């Protein structure tokens, strides 16, 4: 039953041909069978999942179920949960149990979803390979010596290996889309503000956005529907009405204007990846879309600007981890400075420390204007590029990543090479736009991701385009042999 | 050489909201440690701040009361530093775009002179928690009840020239924030705290000297003493040929001195940047108009009205407008009565204040209501009571009796204004004192007061004094 999409499972749950209890047992068995190799789960709550499944089955029997009732999922371990630890992949929060649940967790629970466990991730969502988890790297289910991408690497690996029907993730610079691309699944980063950030441990507040990772656009639409909406506890959450994402999935693509930025097909793009993406664009063209070359002239400034703004915000957001109230505290602190220094020194891993240092430096007196302020100006330029582009096209298409999944350890010693993984993804975060990644082929047995972005609040359009594309292709139906 | 002192004040006024600036926790003082600290106040992973609208309303009230500009798009910023009672490792404050821009107030100095003091800005921020150093051996306790309490930091221009002016300014602000209901002004509980920036320069110079900032000034007396100490200290330094170091100093009330806390070099780099969790705070005309419609008449306007329309002496108007409760009480006393407001002022500032001071009772707890005092003054004004009898009635009210007319009736305090009755008493007194009558008629007119006293005594104080005087003069003429 793991070869079904979430929507297919939901139909069987609704008709009574399948129970949530069956699904949960099935996935628990698969986790048992495969996760020792993959290390995608940081925690599995079998007992809690069984109880929730029983509850969901009752709702289904009473006819009180929604489209997600009884579907087993995993939460990225950045979402606060009250029944399992929320570690953010960090020693700092090892064993930390939140006294409250994230809005996203509450909403999906209210929709009847069953939480199997918490997904591994790069520490505090900082990374593009999931190698920065204190609890160990995650294997890419397609080739287990390869990385699954990051930071939502655990979530992507779980969905790709069919160890849950879907998973939540967060995307600050590509952390949903890049692992979705590396693992051959579909993941959408919604418009900034679409999904509440309350209870989602902050990395870079102005860029962070939660979203679903699933097999298909249809599944993402179902899940995003339940995740989205205004939250009075998040001042940056959008007050706009959430459209019905499923309703528009089948709209015709005839006349759809797709912008192809020259900058996305320039140096740094692996030719195999480029070929897959071009092939996908041809499919869309044959479905009636009009392809149009466009330019995003400030694209080359995205990575430098992002790697100032994100660390700057992170350096401040992570100050609360001081060993005083929660989280890791060093043994026998001598005084308050010793408490801070050793608690943070021991609790944070090297990438987190690197970004705290970069961020604190960028914000410090005398450097603020040259770095943080300048980066914010660049951010505006990047946004303006998109505004101009979307005056002419409906969506912008390109590769999600320059390459396919790389081998574990290949970029561990070269932070800048690692950061360049985010080359095509960070612009959507800097501009607050929605963007989606969907599988569009394979290069040397590894999945390739097609990225589509649209102007703000146009998630429905992205889901529609990908859904139609997935009706014409079957890349999203492929499953890694090792977990088939 | 003569020195001029330059002083600017930073006042932290705790805004009198029921809940905190960014969370729904109570701001009530004195609860058990850490019982009024929610997930947001504790800075738990994943929490987010949401601005309390009442805080914005109060800042706008302050701007309207100080002739200050209101920033239509103010920005919250993070002030980053590590301290155990600062849960998030940053304080949410405002830096480049404070909610209240430049303003001004007119200060009446002790010598009666008016002086304009400029306000640089006022911004919103959250308070930190409290570190308790003396409760656990070898450990510091952290109480986060206060964390997230809303503060309005009011920054003045360096316009004050003496400790006395600084105190007058601080008192003005203390009175104003209570007047417009944005702060309870309780200095013991830390609701109103002052920091003073002090420097000296040669008289006539236009450049500012190096300043020191004195913290921890939680009473007007300490504010005055600390500034005076600091002026002397700086003059001594400069006159000995050394230079003043820019630093933060702490006032030690026990030793009556300031001492160095940290120098400029040791100061934190706070790495301010706009808080990405909070969108810019946008204030529109409708919001301002709504706030304006709830503003009380401000002390200065009220003082002027008392002088111009109610014909009060300026000193009385000043005293009555010192706080809003007193002024409201005063106006309620003569409301619905026809006597001159001036009489109400005399009674409030005289009898009422004397009793309140003597028994150390605030106006709010006065046993005599404004309605009772109004009725009492009416009875004096219409001749039912003499001023002296009025005081007896006041005493009765103060001891808890309620009805002015019932007090007059039951005690027979009604003034005797019947000329026949007074004449009869005069007859008796003149008959008893023939010698004095003769002396008076021989020209010793100061004996009049002897006769007034004697008749008044015979009437047991109830004779109408004006009538008595007139009748006595006539009768004694012979």
């Amino acid at each position: 039953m793991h070869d079904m999409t979430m929507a297919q499972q939901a139909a069987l749950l609704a008709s009574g041909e399948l129970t949530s209890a069956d699904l949960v047992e099935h996935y628990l068995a698969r986790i048992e069978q495969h996760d020792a190799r993959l290390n995608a789960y940081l925690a599995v709550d079998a007992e809690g999942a069984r109880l929730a499944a029983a509850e969901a089955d009752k709702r289904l029997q009473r006819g009180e179920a929604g489209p997600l009732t009884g579907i087993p999922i995993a939460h990225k371990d950045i979402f606060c949960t009250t029944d399992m630890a929320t570690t953010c992949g960090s020693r700092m929060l090892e064993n930390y149990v939140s006294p409250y649940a994230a809005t996203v967790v509450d909403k999906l629970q209210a929709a009847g979803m069953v939480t199997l466990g918490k997904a591994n991730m790069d520490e505090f969502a900082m990374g593009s390979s999931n190698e920065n988890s204190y609890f160990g790297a995650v294997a890419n289910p397609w080739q287990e010596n390869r990385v699954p991408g990051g930071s939502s690497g655990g979530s992507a690996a779980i969905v790709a290996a069919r160890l849950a029907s879907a998973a939540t993730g967060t995307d600050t610079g590509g952390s949903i889309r890049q692992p979705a691309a590396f693992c051959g699944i579909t993941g959408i980063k919604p418009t900034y503000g679409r999904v509440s950030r309350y209870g989602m441990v902050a990395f870079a507040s102005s860029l962070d956005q939660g979203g679903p990772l699933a097999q298909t656009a249809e599944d993402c639409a179902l899940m995003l529907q339940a995740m989205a909406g205004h939250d009075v506890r998040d001042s940056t959450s959008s007050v706009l009405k959430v459209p019905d994402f499923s309703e528009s999935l089948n709209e015709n693509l005839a006349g759809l204007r797709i912008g192809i930025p020259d900058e996305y097909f320039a140096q740094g793009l692996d030719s195999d990846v480029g070929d897959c993406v071009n092939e996908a664009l041809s499919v869309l063209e044959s479905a009636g879309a009009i392809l149009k070359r466009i330019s995003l002239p400030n694209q080359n400034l995205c990575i430098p600007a992002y790697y100032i703004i994100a660390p700057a915000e992170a350096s401040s957001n992570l100050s609360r981890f001081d060993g005083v109230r929660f989280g890791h505290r060093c043994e026998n602190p001598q005084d308050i400075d010793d408490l801070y220094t050793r608690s943070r020194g021991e609790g944070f891993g090297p990438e987190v420390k690197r970004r705290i240092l970069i961020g604190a430096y960028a914000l410090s007196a005398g450097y603020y204007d040259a770095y943080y302020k300048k980066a914010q100006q660049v951010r505006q330029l990047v946004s303006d590029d998109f505004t101009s582009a979307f005056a002419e096209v409906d969506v912008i298409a390109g590769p999600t990543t320059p390459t396919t999944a790389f081998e574990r350890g290949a970029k561990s010693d070269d932070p800048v090479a690692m950061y360049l993984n985010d080359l095509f993804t960070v612009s959507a975060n800097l501009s607050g736009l929605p963007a989606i990644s969907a599988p569009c082929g394979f290069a040397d047995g590894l999945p390739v991701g097609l990225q589509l972005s649209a102007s703000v609040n146009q998630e429905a359009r992205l889901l529609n385009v990908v859904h139609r594309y997935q009706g014409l292709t079957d890349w999203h139906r492929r499953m890694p042999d090792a977990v088939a | 050489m003569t020195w001029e002192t330059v002083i600017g004040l930073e006042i932290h006024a705790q805004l009198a909201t029921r809940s905190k600036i960014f969370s729904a926790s109570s701001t009530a003082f004195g609860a058990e440690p850490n019982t009024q600290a929610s997930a947001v106040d504790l800075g738990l992973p994943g929490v987010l701040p949401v601005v309390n609208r009442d805080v914005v309303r109060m800042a706008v009230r302050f701007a309207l009361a100080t002739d200050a500009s209101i920033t239509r798009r103010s920005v919250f910023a993070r002030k980053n530093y590590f301290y155990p009672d600062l849960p998030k490792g940053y304080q949410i404050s405002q830096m480049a775009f404070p909610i209240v821009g430049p303003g001004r107030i007119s200060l009446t100095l002790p010598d009666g002179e008016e002086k304009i003091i400029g306000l640089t800005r006022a911004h919103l921020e959250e308070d930190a928690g409290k570190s308790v150093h003396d409760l656990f051996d070898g450990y510091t306790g952290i109480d986060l009840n206060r964390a997230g309490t809303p503060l309005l930091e009011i920054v003045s221009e360096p316009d004050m020239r003496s400790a006395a002016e600084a105190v007058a300014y601080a008192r003005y602000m203390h009175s104003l924030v209570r007047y417009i209901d944005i702060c309870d002004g309780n200095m013991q509980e830390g609701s109103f705290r002052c920091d003073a920036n002090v420097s000296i320069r040669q008289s006539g110079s236009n450049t500012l000297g190096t300043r020191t900032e004195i913290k921890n000034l939680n009473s007007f007396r300490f504010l005055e003493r600390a500034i005076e100490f600091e002026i002397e200290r700086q003059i001594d330094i400069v006159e000995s040929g050394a230079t003043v170091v820019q630093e933060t100093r702490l006032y030690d009330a026990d030793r009556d001195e300031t001492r160095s806390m940290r120098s400029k070099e040791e100061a934190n780099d706070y790495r301010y940047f706009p808080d990405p969790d909070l969108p810019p705070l946008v204030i529109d005309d409708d919001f301002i108009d709504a706030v304006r419609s709830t503003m009380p008449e401000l002390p200065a306007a009220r003082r002027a009205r008392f002088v111009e329309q109610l014909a009060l002496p300026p000193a009385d108007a000043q005293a009555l407008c010192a706080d809003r409760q007193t002024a409201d009480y005063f106006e309620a006393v003569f409301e619905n009565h026809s006597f001159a407001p001036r009489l109400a002022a005399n009674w409030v500032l005289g009898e009422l204040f004397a009793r309140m001071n003597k028994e150390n009772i605030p106006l709010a707890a006065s046993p005599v209501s404004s309605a009772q005092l109004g009725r009492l003054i009416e009875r004096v004004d219409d001749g039912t009571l003499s001023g002296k009898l009025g005081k007896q009635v006041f005493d009765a009210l103060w001891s808890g009796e309620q009805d002015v007319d019932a007090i007059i009736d039951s005690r027979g305090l009604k003034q005797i204004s019947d000329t026949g009755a007074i004449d009869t008493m005069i007859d008796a007194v003149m008959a008893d004192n023939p010698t004095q009558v003769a002396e008076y008629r021989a020209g010793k007119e100061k004996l009049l007061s002897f006769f007034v006293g004697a008749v008044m005594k015979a009437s047991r104080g109830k004779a109408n004094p004006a009538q008595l005087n007139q009748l006595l003069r006539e009768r004694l003429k012979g």
Side-chain angles (χ1 to χ4, degrees):
Chain A
M1 48 188 100
H2 60 272
D3 54 353
M4 288 184 277
T5 67
M6 195 168 82
Q8 291 168 335
Q9 292 171 343
L12 294 186
L13 286 169
S15 68
E17 290 163 74
L18 186 65
T19 66
S20 179
D22 292 340
L23 267 178
V24 163
E25 291 307 331
H26 182 71
Y27 283 122
L28 288 174
R30 287 182 61 78
I31 292 167
E32 189 70 31
Q33 189 184 351
H34 299 294
D35 199 47
R37 297 191 322 274
L38 298 177
N39 197 33
Y41 275 97
L42 290 180
V44 174
D45 180 13
E47 229 24 65
R50 286 181 177 120
L51 286 171
E55 198 55 45
D57 283 330
K58 278 186 215 153
R59 271 175 79 172
L60 284 157
Q61 278 164 16
R62 287 196 303 262
E64 294 164 6
L68 298 174
T69 305
I71 301 286
I73 53 163
H75 282 299
K76 185 176 182 179
D77 208 20
I78 201 168
F79 288 101
C80 288
T81 49
T82 52
D83 39 10
M84 278 176 277
T86 300
T87 70
C88 285
S90 180
R91 183 184 183 198
M92 183 58 86
L93 288 178
E94 192 175 11
N95 306 320
Y96 171 76
V97 179
S98 172
Y100 76 97
T103 298
V104 161
V105 171
D106 277 344
K107 284 190 150 200
L108 293 180
Q109 188 180 14
M113 296 201 106
V114 175
T115 305
L116 290 170
K118 303 293 286 285
N120 202 344
M121 58 183 281
D122 280 304
E123 184 176 6
F124 285 104
M126 298 177 189
S128 306
S129 68
N130 217 115
E131 292 166 293
N132 296 335
S133 169
Y134 175 68
F135 305 102
V138 175
N140 188 318
W142 292 95
Q143 285 182 25
E144 293 177 6
N145 64 334
R146 305 251 165 188
V147 303
S151 65
S152 308
S155 300
I158 284 168
V159 176
R162 310 301 197 255
L163 303 185
S165 304
T168 56
T170 60
D171 189 316
T172 305
S175 283
I176 287 175
R177 292 161 286 156
Q178 186 254 16
F182 278 13
C183 290
I185 60 165
T186 308
I188 182 167
K189 180 201 93 75
T191 306
Y192 182 78
R194 182 67 96 182
V195 171
S196 168
R197 293 187 295 116
Y198 192 80
M200 199 175 99
V201 180
F203 160 15
S205 311
S206 74
L207 302 161
D208 294 343
Q209 182 59 205
L213 295 95
Q215 290 178 41
T216 64
E218 183 183 22
D219 290 358
C220 284
L222 286 170
M223 207 157 131
L224 182 58
Q225 199 74 48
M227 293 168 78
H230 180 61
D231 181 0
V232 291
R233 292 175 298 182
D234 176 359
S235 310
T236 62
S237 81
S238 170
V239 293
L240 289 181
K241 191 173 173 292
V242 180
D244 186 331
F245 297 123
S246 297
E247 201 173 42
S248 52
L249 280 176
N250 283 308
E251 274 176 24
N252 200 300
L253 301 189
L256 177 83
R257 298 168 302 169
I258 300 180
I260 319 291
D262 289 343
E263 293 81 1
Y264 284 8
F265 293 85
Q267 201 181 5
L269 179 67
D270 191 292
S271 64
D272 289 350
V273 170
D275 291 347
C276 288
V277 171
N278 281 321
E279 176 60 31
L281 293 173
S282 305
V283 171
L284 290 169
E285 193 172 25
S286 67
I290 301 157
L291 305 186
K292 197 171 172 188
R293 277 180 65 181
I294 60 163
S295 176
L296 298 171
N298 294 292
Q299 162 66 23
N300 62 324
L301 300 177
C302 286
I303 290 283
Y306 174 84
Y307 277 95
I308 293 296
I309 293 169
E313 293 182 9
S315 71
S316 175
N317 282 333
L318 269 56
S319 293
R320 70 191 61 201
F321 302 105
D322 57 5
V324 174
R325 296 165 312 285
F326 47 76
H328 179 72
R329 179 186 286 190
C330 67
E331 295 286 339
N332 302 315
Q334 298 306 298
D335 56 28
I336 188 65
D337 286 333
D338 186 42
L339 173 74
Y340 288 153
T341 310
R342 283 201 288 130
S343 298
R344 289 168 67 80
E346 296 161 5
F348 289 138
E351 182 60 27
V352 172
K353 287 177 189 167
R354 178 179 295 121
R355 298 204 195 185
I356 291 173
L357 286 171
I358 292 171
Y361 181 83
L363 289 175
S364 54
Y367 298 98
Y368 181 91
D369 286 354
Y371 293 107
Y372 187 77
K373 198 174 162 193
K374 185 65 75 182
Q376 290 291 8
Q377 289 165 344
V378 168
R379 185 175 188 171
Q380 188 59 51
L381 292 178
V382 170
S383 254
D384 294 346
D385 280 358
F386 279 112
T387 306
S388 308
F390 285 123
E392 294 175 36
V393 299
D394 302 307
V395 298
I396 291 174
T400 307
T401 56
T403 67
T404 53
F406 46 89
E407 283 181 17
R408 209 177 303 160
K411 300 185 181 183
S412 310
D413 300 328
D414 187 350
V416 175
M418 189 71 94
Y419 296 169
L420 286 173
N421 262 285
D422 305 336
L423 192 59
F424 303 133
T425 47
V426 294
S427 57
N429 302 81
L430 289 172
S431 321
L433 305 176
I436 192 167
S437 178
C440 68
F442 287 84
D444 293 331
L446 289 165
V448 172
L450 166 72
Q451 178 177 239
L452 296 167
S453 55
S455 56
V456 287
N457 304 314
Q458 298 297 312
E459 293 90 349
R461 174 50 68 87
L462 296 178
L463 292 162
N464 159 230
V465 176
V466 173
H467 181 67
R468 294 298 297 229
Y469 173 75
Q470 290 179 336
L472 300 168
T473 57
D474 73 346
W475 307 115
H476 59 287
R477 303 295 299 152
R478 310 283 178 93
M479 215 187 304
D481 291 339
V483 294
Chain B
M1 193 174 292
T2 57
W3 299 98
E4 181 178 54
T5 309
V6 178
I7 303 163
L9 292 188
E10 288 169 21
I11 292 172
H12 288 86
Q14 180 182 319
L15 296 176
T17 53
R18 289 166 56 167
S19 56
K20 293 185 177 179
I21 183 167
F22 299 122
S23 82
S25 310
S26 167
T27 53
F29 181 82
E32 283 294 300
N34 298 310
T35 56
Q36 289 177 179
S38 67
V40 172
D41 309 319
L42 290 167
L44 293 186
V47 299
L48 296 169
V50 177
V51 180
N52 179 344
R53 267 178 84 87
D54 278 343
V55 167
V56 181
R57 210 169 278 134
M58 289 185 183
V60 170
R61 285 174 83 80
F62 179 79
L64 292 173
T66 52
D67 198 18
S69 65
I70 296 163
T71 310
R72 297 311 180 95
R73 199 166 186 278
S74 67
V75 175
F76 286 101
R78 293 186 184 177
K79 179 179 180 178
N80 294 284
Y81 65 98
F82 285 99
Y83 203 72
D85 60 25
L86 186 71
K88 299 185 293 296
Y90 58 85
Q91 178 193 30
I92 305 177
S93 180
Q94 296 190 306
M95 182 63 178
F97 304 97
I99 186 165
V100 180
R104 52 195 263 151
I105 59 146
S106 176
L107 197 60
T108 308
L109 297 177
D111 63 6
E113 195 195 328
E114 290 283 312
K115 179 167 182 175
I116 302 291
I117 305 289
L119 301 180
T120 314
R121 58 184 281 161
H123 65 255
L124 291 169
E125 62 184 26
E126 59 179 338
D127 208 345
K130 233 166 40 185
S131 293
V132 184
H133 296 294
D134 50 6
L135 218 53
F136 311 98
D137 189 31
Y139 290 89
T140 294
I142 304 294
D143 177 6
L144 295 175
N145 283 352
R146 203 180 62 185
T149 298
L151 300 176
L152 185 68
E153 181 174 335
I154 305 160
V155 182
S156 84
E157 289 290 299
D159 285 350
M160 282 135 313
R161 293 290 172 269
S162 67
E165 281 186 19
V167 170
Y169 166 81
R171 284 188 185 279
Y172 178 102
M173 280 299 169
H174 187 245
S175 160
L176 180 71
V177 294
R178 284 176 300 148
Y179 217 94
I180 59 176
D181 285 327
I182 65 169
C183 173
D184 68 16
N186 190 323
M187 295 177 85
Q188 277 88 47
E189 292 175 5
S191 301
F192 188 89
R193 319 195 280 267
C194 300
D195 300 339
N197 287 298
V198 179
S199 63
I200 57 162
R201 63 184 174 193
Q202 284 182 34
S203 296
S205 164
N206 283 325
T207 53
L208 289 168
T210 303
R211 68 187 160 86
T212 58
E213 182 180 11
I214 316 169
K215 289 200 176 285
N216 199 26
L217 303 169
N218 59 3
S219 82
F220 296 122
R221 197 170 64 90
F222 292 168
L223 174 65
E224 186 160 26
R225 301 281 288 267
I227 293 173
E228 270 165 3
F229 174 89
E230 186 59 18
I231 294 169
E232 287 306 311
R233 192 186 71 86
Q234 292 189 13
I235 290 175
D236 286 349
I237 289 172
V238 175
E239 290 191 340
S240 72
T243 50
V244 174
V245 178
Q246 183 174 340
E247 61 183 355
T248 302
R249 298 180 69 84
L250 211 58
Y251 178 66
D252 182 338
D254 295 333
R255 300 165 74 170
D256 189 26
E257 63 178 31
T258 66
R259 60 166 186 271
S260 181
M261 201 170 127
R262 59 172 179 263
S263 72
K264 192 185 174 190
E265 285 70 33
E266 295 166 280
N268 280 309
D269 176 357
Y270 291 119
R271 289 173 281 120
Y272 278 100
F273 74 106
D275 190 333
D277 287 332
L278 292 163
L281 186 60
V282 176
I283 298 176
D284 60 20
D285 287 342
D286 288 348
F287 186 85
I288 295 171
D289 289 343
V291 174
R292 188 179 279 121
S293 71
T294 66
M295 286 294 280
E297 186 184 16
L298 295 174
R302 208 168 191 183
R303 268 201 312 273
R305 179 167 61 84
F306 284 5
V307 171
E308 285 157 23
Q309 294 179 20
L310 306 181
L312 299 192
D316 286 6
Q318 168 93 18
L320 288 168
C321 292
D323 66 78
R324 189 167 152 197
Q325 285 66 32
T326 306
D328 288 347
Y329 183 98
F330 160 69
E331 294 208 76
V333 168
F334 64 83
E335 195 180 29
N336 307 321
H337 294 290
S338 57
F339 56 80
R342 169 125 200 213
L343 294 176
N346 291 343
W347 276 88
V348 170
L349 294 173
E351 205 61 20
L352 180 67
F353 270 32
R355 284 303 281 269
M356 280 164 42
N357 287 338
K358 191 174 153 200
E359 303 189 19
N360 199 17
I361 283 175
L363 183 59
S366 162
V368 182
S369 72
S370 56
Q372 289 170 328
L373 188 57
R375 176 53 58 94
L376 164 56
I377 298 170
E378 185 183 291
R379 289 287 170 261
V380 173
D381 191 52
D382 68 13
T384 306
L385 291 170
S386 65
K388 204 164 177 188
L389 291 171
K391 286 174 187 174
Q392 287 185 39
V393 174
F394 183 87
D395 288 343
L397 291 172
W398 188 271
S399 349
E401 290 186 57
Q402 297 296 318
D403 188 279
V404 169
D405 291 323
I407 295 168
I408 295 169
D409 286 346
S410 68
R411 303 196 179 183
L413 295 177
K414 195 167 175 186
Q415 177 168 258
I416 300 167
S417 302
D418 171 355
T419 42
I422 296 173
D423 265 337
T424 310
M425 287 184 274
I426 291 173
D427 286 345
V429 167
M430 286 174 69
D432 289 349
N433 300 285
T435 324
Q436 284 82 351
V437 172
E439 281 175 3
Y440 180 90
R441 287 178 175 160
K444 202 173 175 185
E445 290 197 2
K446 64 178 179 190
L447 275 172
L448 181 68
S449 58
F450 163 79
F451 290 103
V452 171
V455 178
M456 197 53 97
K457 190 175 175 194
S459 75
R460 283 181 297 148
K462 293 188 288 185
N464 181 318
Q467 277 182 344
L468 172 57
N469 257 296
Q470 197 196 343
L471 289 170
L472 258 176
R473 281 177 199 280
E474 285 168 13
R475 296 290 304 281
L476 285 168
K477 269 186 213 159

